[in-house]
Amino acid sequence: MTTTTQGAARATGAVGTAHTRVEGRDKVTGAARYAGEIPYDELAHGWLVLSTVARGRVRTVESDPVLAMPGVLAVLHHANAPRVTTDYIGIVGRPDPALGIFQDDRVPYVGWPVALVVAETSEQAREAAEALVVRYDEEPHDVEFFAGHPGLYTPQDSPLVQAEAVKGDVEAELAASDVVVDAEYATPEAYHCPLEPHAATARWDSGRLDVVDSNQSTVWVAGELAQLFSLDPASVRVRSEHVGGGFGSKGVRPHQVAAVMAATVLHRPVRVVLTRRQMFSLVGYRSPTAQRIRLGADPDGRLRAFDHQAQSLTSTVHEFVESSAVLGRVLYDADAHRTTHRLVRLDVPTPTWMRAPGEAPGSFALESALDELAEKCGLDPIALRARNEPGAGPVSGLPFSSRNVLACFEEGARRFGWADRDPRPGVRREGRWLLGTGTAAATYPSGVGPSTAAVTAEADGTFTVRINAADIGTGARTALTLIAAEALAAEPGRVRVHIGDSDLGPAMFAGGSMGTRSWAWAVTAAAGELRERLALGGGIPPEGITARSDTTEAVGGLAKKERHSFGAQFAEVAVDTTTGEVRVRRMLGIFAAGRIVNPLTARSQFLGGMVWGLSMALHEEAVRDHSSGGLVGADFAGYHFAANADVPLLEADWVEDPDPDDPVGIKGIGEIGVVGGAAAIANAVWHATGVRHRQLPIRPDRVLLAAEGSRSA
């Protein structure tokens, strides 16, 4: 391997050295228990009943026949459920009103929870839920998203999304440009589909609400449940030891609220597990997008005008913005620069964060447009990107803490054999297969949030780390073990890490590629203080010696800079001229992502993101039935994604990416692997066929139709 991680492995063999997951054996042997598997005495089971109409009101819930069925304990609905409040500001702003289940008779979309059936067994609950008759007064609905929808509006700015950013006169610079690209791109509705379904068990224990759940932040869920049910935050405990994937979907959802409601009414533990089909309605998704990109350049490819207009949808009850235009605010500068977001409210569930929210669909459009500009200018796509490499944030004007995107392209081009590429499209052929290669840039913010941690030196010579982190399959538990071992100058085998319990104190959630970086700050600070105390001597008492940290002030005092991970994606495809099938033959991703804690799990994260990019390019597409308002094929049979046979040998690696101002040098790696992957594949399909595909996924029928259109033209 020619590239190396920043910071060589220390004497302990911890950070920078490949380590298998510390919980790996428990997972493969079944000893690791997930939220839907933990036994409780007198456990009851709840089954949600979802609306079958897209807009209207519940007229009646005919619960009496269901209550007479074997094992049925209760049927909760808007006429008898406990009251909750959604009028508060939580960790991420105002909650989605979908959390206020069973509070009125209003139905804003197909899949809205209208009742919960609780029974002694899950089978009894499901049978009764499917027998429950709910009658509605239907109203006309609109679920159709398309570019230029008459209901489009400009959303309000929030701490998470700036709706619009403008610099200079875009129209004037476009008019003065020698080369112009003006193209529209589209991405479909897409879904998280983590392997472990959402599940929560709620019970009251000595006056305290105890919830075992599958989530990306126990402190987030605990805080929201306390607000919803008007409880003292100290009286709510949420635990989430093992999580089988989340990708942005495992926050606060209706199933947790339903479990708490039922436990409150029945005075016994209640578990609610979502079915795969229910997850397509209740836990969020990626909004479809319609994006228009206009680029104006001088003959040498230098950008004069940059305009990225992104449109997406939201529900009628809550606002969420798929921030697809944010990449340009980081990647490319121009004399005039404009990025805008527009929304339309439709009778559909509320979208949410989904791996690389904004960046994933936005990179498809932007990096495809850059490839089109390179073609028009007669430039190599990498040379064009190098020509437009900014010295500071294109919009913010802030310096970059580090920016090694060109190093990623250089290393990737060398390893991929880019120099041997014939730039002409449609000239490489193997029998009925046309071959092509493409590339694209990647970026994702490197954020950080305040966290607390406690590190204890035990009398037996081991160390115990307690931090309310969440390991959603990324290997965070192992990474924190290595980080603590390095900070303590101890072997990793002497460190035990406890996570996933809101009683451990506040900490950053696992999202936005901020988890490990944020938790590492807190663990490193606590470990440093502990070492200082141990250096004073005096021995370790039976209860151990504990040091604690709180990084709130450190995070708040971070210097103002543009902090991001970067990368370069490369792909080679083969396109069957007879069937229109696209096969990815190889992919290479090279990333600049700060200090790599565990090369083994880090590479896995990069590769997983790249597989998702492949799936996004060629397979994933949710289709909504405009007549019913619901999804067609809301299951693993109908929602297609890349399977083993679709994925070739992928390679992922990284370059040196030091950040001297960062206390731990870590950047996020969970999201960036998916960014740019779909664009690299789409650009490779153009190189193979000479036909541009501006709509995802690139299905065989679209390939054949586009080829026919090209021949006709």
Side-chain angles (χ1 to χ4, degrees):
M1 173 170 136
T2 57
T3 49
T4 59
T5 58
Q6 176 197 349
R10 306 291 176 90
T12 59
V15 172
T17 303
H19 281 260
T20 57
R21 298 171 187 263
V22 295
E23 82 284 10
R25 180 176 293 274
D26 286 346
K27 284 184 173 177
V28 299
T29 60
R33 297 186 302 183
Y34 291 81
E37 300 176 325
I38 299 174
Y40 288 94
D41 292 335
E42 297 187 311
L43 177 65
H45 299 266
W47 204 278
L48 282 166
V49 179
L50 309 185
S51 71
T52 57
V53 302
R55 186 182 179 93
R57 293 185 180 277
V58 175
R59 188 193 318 147
T60 58
V61 178
E62 299 179 4
S63 57
D64 287 345
V66 167
L67 288 168
M69 293 178 70
V72 175
L73 302 171
V75 178
L76 301 182
H77 51 83
H78 70 276
N80 64 2
R83 299 293 94 185
V84 298
T85 179
T86 57
D87 186 19
Y88 64 88
I89 304 296
I91 293 176
V92 294
R94 291 198 173 277
D96 187 334
L99 299 181
I101 57 174
F102 315 145
Q103 299 302 291
D104 57 49
D105 62 357
R106 191 77 209 163
V107 174
Y109 49 77
V110 170
W112 179 267
V114 294
L116 177 77
V117 177
V118 188
E120 295 287 354
T121 70
S122 61
E123 292 82 4
Q124 291 170 332
R126 179 171 193 165
E127 182 182 10
E130 292 175 351
L132 183 67
V133 175
V134 181
R135 303 192 187 278
Y136 304 91
D137 292 321
E138 290 190 60
E139 300 172 5
H141 64 264
D142 179 11
V143 300
E144 186 175 3
F145 174 79
F146 53 88
H149 192 290
L152 285 166
Y153 70 96
T154 302
Q156 292 185 340
D157 286 344
S158 74
L160 299 175
V161 180
Q162 181 185 2
E164 186 171 70
V166 180
K167 179 182 73 173
D169 189 332
V170 168
E171 301 302 331
E173 292 297 337
L174 279 170
S177 296
D178 295 278
V179 184
V180 174
V181 169
D182 186 345
E184 295 184 357
Y185 304 86
T187 61
E189 205 167 308
Y191 284 79
H192 305 79
C193 296
L195 190 59
E196 180 205 15
H198 294 59
T201 304
R203 63 172 183 153
W204 289 93
D205 183 16
S206 302
R208 197 172 188 221
L209 178 62
D210 181 35
V211 178
V212 174
D213 182 40
S214 178
N215 62 58
Q216 297 179 225
S217 169
T218 61
V219 70
W220 178 17
V221 174
E224 299 283 323
L225 291 176
Q227 295 267 28
L228 285 160
F229 289 92
S230 302
L231 300 172
D232 180 350
S235 69
V236 180
R237 183 188 188 188
V238 175
R239 289 173 289 158
S240 186
E241 184 176 358
H242 297 289
V243 181
F247 313 118
S249 72
K250 285 186 175 173
V252 190
R253 299 297 177 191
H255 70 289
Q256 297 138 328
V257 181
V260 175
M261 283 182 171
T264 302
V265 170
L266 296 174
H267 307 290
R268 58 188 288 187
V270 177
R271 174 172 296 154
V272 178
V273 180
L274 298 185
T275 67
R276 183 66 57 188
R277 183 171 290 273
Q278 288 174 338
M279 287 167 60
F280 278 83
S281 298
L282 292 178
V283 301
Y285 57 100
R286 197 192 303 282
S287 167
T289 71
Q291 304 176 59
R292 182 185 182 190
I293 295 184
R294 298 188 297 168
L295 304 174
D298 292 333
D300 64 357
R302 188 187 70 83
L303 285 170
R304 299 181 60 127
F306 182 102
D307 185 30
H308 189 169
Q309 304 168 34
Q311 301 173 9
S312 59
L313 62 75
T314 192
S315 69
T316 60
V317 297
H318 193 55
E319 185 173 279
F320 180 86
V321 181
E322 184 71 26
S323 53
S324 302
V326 296
L327 278 86
R329 299 173 186 177
V330 177
L331 280 177
Y332 306 112
D333 202 358
D335 297 326
H337 202 287
R338 179 170 61 196
T339 49
T340 62
H341 298 96
R342 299 289 185 270
L343 281 179
V344 59
R345 293 190 181 276
L346 298 176
D347 301 310
V348 296
T350 307
T352 194
W353 302 283
M354 182 167 158
R355 197 173 194 176
E359 280 82 1
S363 63
F364 163 65
L366 176 55
E367 290 302 291
S368 294
L370 260 290
D371 207 65
E372 297 199 42
L373 181 63
E375 177 193 356
K376 284 194 170 188
C377 292
L379 289 172
D380 178 84
I382 297 177
L384 175 69
R385 287 166 173 83
R387 193 154 295 173
N388 287 285
E389 179 72 355
V395 173
S396 69
L398 295 173
F400 288 98
S401 61
S402 63
R403 184 183 170 96
N404 290 305
V405 63
L406 293 185
C408 293
F409 273 113
E410 290 167 5
E411 177 65 10
R414 183 188 68 79
R415 292 174 58 167
F416 196 75
W418 189 262
D420 299 328
R421 177 183 190 258
D422 186 332
R424 295 174 299 166
V427 298
R428 290 179 62 202
R429 180 184 284 268
E430 289 183 3
R432 71 175 192 267
W433 296 92
L434 292 171
L435 307 182
T437 53
T439 189
T443 186
Y444 196 79
S446 178
V448 66
S451 298
T452 59
V455 181
T456 301
E458 307 289 358
D460 63 0
T462 64
F463 298 90
T464 303
V465 176
R466 295 176 177 85
I467 184 166
N468 193 15
D471 191 334
I472 61 173
T474 55
R477 183 186 274 102
T478 307
L480 291 174
T481 299
L482 302 182
I483 289 163
E486 179 185 68
L488 293 164
E491 293 298 322
R494 293 171 57 201
V495 177
R496 296 186 300 271
V497 175
H498 295 287
I499 64 173
D501 186 339
S502 61
D503 279 359
L504 295 175
M508 188 62 192
F509 51 78
S513 292
M514 294 185 284
T516 300
R517 183 177 186 224
S518 302
W519 306 323
W521 280 28
V523 169
T524 301
E529 180 182 334
L530 179 62
R531 288 189 66 181
E532 291 180 4
R533 291 172 60 179
L534 293 175
L536 299 175
I540 300 176
E543 68 274 15
I545 298 175
T546 299
R548 304 180 187 278
S549 67
D550 183 343
T551 63
T552 302
E553 291 187 8
V555 169
L558 193 65
K560 288 290 185 180
K561 289 186 176 181
E562 289 274 8
R563 298 181 184 273
H564 305 266
S565 293
F566 292 96
Q569 302 265 21
F570 294 82
E572 180 179 46
V573 304
V575 182
D576 190 322
T577 57
T578 304
T579 67
E581 178 187 10
V582 178
R583 282 276 174 183
V584 176
R585 289 196 166 184
R586 58 187 176 117
M587 285 186 75
L588 169 67
I590 301 292
F591 302 96
R595 191 180 188 200
I596 301 300
V597 177
N598 184 356
L600 184 64
T601 53
R603 183 170 283 105
S604 177
Q605 283 295 293
F606 289 138
L607 292 175
M610 292 167 66
V611 171
W612 201 328
L614 185 159
S615 198
M616 176 182 172
L618 304 180
H619 301 283
E620 293 194 46
E621 180 181 31
V623 178
R624 196 165 288 276
D625 182 348
H626 296 161
S627 61
S628 71
L631 289 178
V632 178
D635 50 43
F636 277 176
Y639 182 74
H640 294 170
F641 49 82
N644 288 4
D646 301 301
V647 181
L649 178 64
L650 307 183
E651 293 184 78
D653 216 329
W654 45 89
V655 298
E656 293 268 1
D657 188 32
D659 182 355
D661 297 331
D662 192 293
V664 293
I666 294 170
K667 293 183 179 179
I669 61 173
E671 328 254 352
I672 193 171
V674 69
V675 181
I681 292 169
N683 292 337
V685 171
W686 167 81
H687 187 231
T689 64
V691 178
R692 289 284 176 189
H693 287 267
R694 302 185 180 95
Q695 180 180 5
L696 294 183
I698 306 174
R699 301 188 318 234
D701 62 312
R702 289 173 175 164
V703 172
L704 293 176
L705 186 62
E708 180 62 31
S710 177
R711 285 192 292 268
S712 299

